[in-house]
Amino acid sequence: MTADSGDGAPGGSIPRTPAEEARKAFRGPASATLGLEIVIVPLGLLVMAKVEGGLTPAKIAWVVVLTVGMIVAIAAFSRAWGLPLALGLQVLMLLGWVVSPSLGALGVIFCLVWAGMMWMRYEVLRRLAPGSQHSGTGPPGSWADGSG
């Protein structure tokens, strides 16, 4: 598998390892999850207005900062700091419990989603690691040899 190096040179392709491809593939589900959060978090303002007795400037500011941060995180996910930014936003949303219990509840839900995604990412990378028992060698017809 090759990928464009982005330097504009003809034939500027560099080979990628399966682990690099797995890391790159994680960007899709992570960006989709952030996209879902971009829609759901501002809708939390409706719940805050009806259930929690109204909106305050702190609640609105917290939601705006989270939403803008998530948009930036989607744009920056291909960079090395994209994943830490996305995970930091999840912690910030969880800490939103101080401002709004409904925002904190969303934080719990999405932190569980991200924990599951990070566990799956870890397992894929662990199995693709060189020297791993699952590093792409297996009996014929298994998923590891690509034919099963």
Side-chain angles (χ1 to χ4, degrees):
M1 293 181 184
T2 60
D4 184 17
S5 65
D7 61 3
S13 296
I14 55 172
R16 293 199 186 270
T17 65
E20 289 170 332
E21 290 293 330
R23 283 187 189 94
K24 186 177 174 185
F26 180 72
R27 286 188 267 178
S31 295
T33 303
L34 283 170
L36 184 62
E37 289 182 76
I38 290 169
V39 172
I40 291 175
V41 170
L43 289 174
L45 289 172
L46 298 172
V47 175
M48 291 177 212
K50 298 281 185 187
V51 176
E52 296 176 7
L55 296 174
T56 63
K59 291 177 183 179
I60 295 170
W62 202 281
V63 169
V64 169
V65 166
L66 281 172
T67 305
V68 170
M70 289 172 190
I71 293 169
V72 170
I74 286 177
F77 222 89
S78 61
R79 307 227 192 285
W81 49 272
L83 180 59
L85 174 62
L87 295 176
L89 288 167
Q90 302 314 306
V91 172
L92 189 63
M93 187 158 56
L94 190 59
L95 292 175
W97 202 289
V98 173
V99 176
S100 164
S102 59
L103 191 58
L106 283 175
V108 169
I109 292 167
F110 279 110
C111 279
L112 290 173
V113 168
W114 277 91
M117 287 180 15
M118 293 305 295
W119 175 78
M120 287 184 263
R121 177 181 184 263
Y122 167 78
E123 279 297 311
V124 168
L125 293 175
R126 182 182 66 83
R127 291 176 186 213
L128 290 174
S132 168
Q133 178 181 350
H134 305 287
S135 64
T137 59
S142 71
W143 68 273
D145 72 354
S147 64

